[in-house]
C-alpha cells in the first residue's frame, strides 16, 4: 500500500471510532481499537460485526470477506498495545483536555516513527501536536460521518507538521479508498466551517416555529436537493458533538452565527443527543 503502513490504532469506540476502524480493516490494515473499558471496546466490535452482517445480507460483501475483515480488528484497553502501530487515529469526545492527555500518552507508548493523528472536527491540531515531543508527526485525519460511506477525508496540516507526515497520512487516506483534501489547521477546516452556521440556523428556525422539524428537513431536501435535512444531520452527528464544534467555531471566529442556539444546548442538557441517545429532533426508538 502507498502508505507503507500495516497496523492502524484507533482510540475511541463511539460513532467515529468504530467507523474508522471498519474503513481501515476493509482496506486491509490490521486495526487495534483502544477503548476506555472492555465493554466499550466490545461495543465497537459489535457495531462492526453488525455492519458486516448487514453488508453480507445486502450482498455487498461475501461471508468470507466479512470474516476476514473482522479477523483484522482487535480490541484492547491498554495503550501499550499501540506500540507497533504505524498510524494512530484518536477519535474520542470533542474535548481538548481529554485529547491532550491521550496525545501525551500516545507519545509515550508509540514507536518513534508512528504518525499520531486526530479525527477532531474543529479543535486546533497544533495544540495536540505540542502535547507530544514529536509535533512534526502529528496531523488531522478528519473522516466524515458515516465514515464507511463518506468519500472525503480532510488531512489537516498544522505549521509544524513535516511533509513526510502529510505524505504518509494522505497515502493512508487513499489506501482507504477515500478522497483526501489538504487543509490548513483553521477551526472547522473547510467542511464544518461552512456547514455549521447552516445547521445552527436550522435549529434557530425550528425554535422560532417557522416550520416543523420535519418541514424544515423536507424543505431543504426538496428545495436544495440535500440528501438529508439539517436537523436529521444534526441527530446523526450527535447534538453534544455539534455544541462542542459550534463552541470552538464561535471562539475562533467571534461570529454570532456560530454561537450554539440555546435550544441545542438545552436538548443536550436534557440528554437528547440525537440518534445515539434515541431522541434528538426526531425519535429513534424501536
Ligand atoms: N459525530 C460526527 O459526525 C463526527 C464526524 C467527524 C469527526 N467527529 C469527531 O470524532 C470524534 C469522536 O466523535 P464521535 O461522534 O465518535 O463521539 P461519540 O460520542 O460517539 O464517542 C466518543 C468516544 O469518546 C470516548 N471518551 C469520552 N470521554 C473520554 C475520556 N475522558 N477518555 C477517553 N475516551 C473518552 C467515549 O468512550 C467514546 O468512545 C470527535 O473529535 C468528533 O468531533 C465526529
Amino acid at each position: 500500500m502507498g502508505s507503507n503502513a500495516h497496523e492502524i490504532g484507533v482510540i475511541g469506540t463511539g460513532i467515529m471510532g468504530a467507523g474508522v476502524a471498519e474503513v481501515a480493516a476493509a482496506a486491509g490494515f490490521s486495526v487495534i481499537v483502544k477503548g476506555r473499558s472492555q465493554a466499550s471496546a466490545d461495543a465497537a466490535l459489535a457495531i462492526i460485526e453488525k455492519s458486516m452482517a448487514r453488508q453480507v445480507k445486502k450482498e455487498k460483501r461475501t461471508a468470507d470477506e466479512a470474516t476476514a475483515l473482522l479477523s483484522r480488528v482487535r480490541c484492547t484497553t491498554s495503550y501499550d498495545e499501540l506500540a507497533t502501530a504505524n498510524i494512530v487515529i484518536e477519535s474520542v469526545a470533542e474535548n481538548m483536555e481529554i485529547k491532550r492527555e491521550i496525545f501525551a500518552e500516545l507519545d509515550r507508548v508509540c514507536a518513534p516513527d508512528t504518525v499520531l493523528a486526530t479525527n477532531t472536527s474543529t479543535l486546533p491540531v497544533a495544540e495536540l501536536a505540542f502535547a507530544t515531543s514529536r509535533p512534526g508527526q502529528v496531523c488531522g485525519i478528519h473522516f466524515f460521518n458515516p465514515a464507511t460511506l463518506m468519500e472525503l477525508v480532510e488531512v489537516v496540516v498544522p505549521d509544524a507538521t513535516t511533509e513526510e507526515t502529510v505524505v504518509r497520512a494522505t497515502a493512508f487516506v487513499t489506501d482507504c479508498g477515500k478522497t483526501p483534501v489538504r487543509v490548513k489547521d483553521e477551526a472547522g477546516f473547510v467542511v464544518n466551517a461552512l456547514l455549521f452556521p447552516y445547521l445552527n440556523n436550522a435549529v434557530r428556525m425550528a425554535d422560532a416555529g417557522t416550520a416543523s422539524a420535519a418541514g424544515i428537513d423536507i424543505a431543504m431536501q426538496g428545495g436544495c436537493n440535500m440528501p438529508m435535512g439539517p436537523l436529521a444531520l444534526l441527530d446523526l452527528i450527535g447534538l453534544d458533538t455539534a455544541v462542542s464544534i459550534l463552541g470552538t467555531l464561535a471562539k475562533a471566529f467571534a461570529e454570532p452565527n456560530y454561537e450554539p442556539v440555546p435550544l441545542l444546548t438545552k436538548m443536550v442538557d436534557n440528554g437528547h443527543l440525537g440518534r445515539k441517545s434515541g431522541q434528538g429532533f426526531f425519535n429513534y426508538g424501536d
Side-chain angles (χ1 to χ4, degrees):
M1 294 194 221
S3 59
N4 281 331
H6 51 90
E7 196 166 88
I8 304 298
V10 175
I11 318 278
T13 54
I15 301 172
M16 294 308 289
V20 171
E22 180 179 328
V23 167
F29 295 103
S30 284
V31 181
I32 314 169
V33 182
K34 153 85 176 67
R36 267 191 295 180
S37 64
Q38 195 56 49
S40 69
D42 289 346
L45 195 57
I47 292 173
I48 303 173
E49 282 167 352
K50 207 167 151 192
S51 169
M52 286 303 106
R54 208 170 37 240
Q55 290 176 38
V56 170
K57 195 170 168 198
K58 287 187 174 170
E59 298 185 350
K60 290 188 172 164
R61 249 179 236 290
T62 66
D64 284 350
E65 283 168 354
T67 305
L69 186 154
L70 286 168
S71 74
R72 289 193 287 274
V73 184
R74 69 188 164 92
C75 293
T76 182
T77 55
S78 158
Y79 278 104
D80 292 334
E81 293 207 31
L82 296 161
T84 51
N86 307 103
I87 299 176
V88 176
I89 303 166
E90 165 281 311
S91 196
V92 307
E94 187 75 341
N95 176 302
M96 181 53 89
E97 282 322 302
I98 298 172
K99 287 183 191 287
R100 277 181 66 93
E101 279 173 26
I102 288 172
F103 270 73
E105 193 61 25
L106 289 174
D107 188 33
R108 193 182 64 75
V109 299
C110 291
D113 64 345
T114 303
V115 167
L116 305 181
T118 175
N119 190 31
T120 181
S121 302
T122 40
L123 294 171
V125 181
E127 243 184 81
L128 297 175
F130 286 104
T132 76
S133 62
R134 55 176 101 183
Q137 279 161 242
V138 177
C139 67
I141 299 183
H142 180 218
F143 284 84
F144 287 78
N145 182 11
T148 48
L149 298 181
M150 300 297 279
E151 203 179 296
L152 177 72
V153 175
E154 291 174 323
V155 177
V156 184
V157 184
D159 290 342
T161 307
T162 65
E163 278 308 306
E164 190 199 337
T165 300
V166 178
V167 167
R168 287 173 65 193
T170 305
F172 164 71
V173 170
T174 310
D175 286 344
C176 288
K178 305 288 185 191
T179 304
V181 169
R182 181 180 178 141
V183 192
K184 268 191 177 175
D185 186 20
E186 302 278 354
F189 318 130
V190 171
V191 174
N192 286 335
L194 292 174
L195 176 66
F196 269 80
Y198 155 68
L199 297 180
N200 208 25
N201 278 322
V203 180
R204 206 185 313 276
M205 204 174 251
D207 198 24
T210 308
S212 66
I216 290 168
D217 276 17
I218 291 168
M220 290 312 291
Q221 286 177 278
C224 291
N225 231 2
M226 299 286 195
M228 185 178 231
L231 301 173
L233 178 54
L234 278 164
D235 280 352
L236 177 75
I237 291 167
L239 305 192
D240 52 341
T241 302
V243 166
S244 298
I245 291 172
L246 283 162
T248 308
L249 291 169
K251 249 196 239 159
F253 297 119
E255 155 65 58
N257 251 347
Y258 288 118
E259 219 40 84
V261 170
L263 173 61
L264 200 54
T265 314
K266 192 166 135 197
M267 288 174 78
V268 172
D269 290 345
N270 289 337
H272 296 158
L273 308 181
R275 281 194 195 192
K276 64 183 162 189
S277 72
Q279 177 68 53
F281 290 98
F282 303 101
N283 185 280
Y284 302 89
D286 297 326

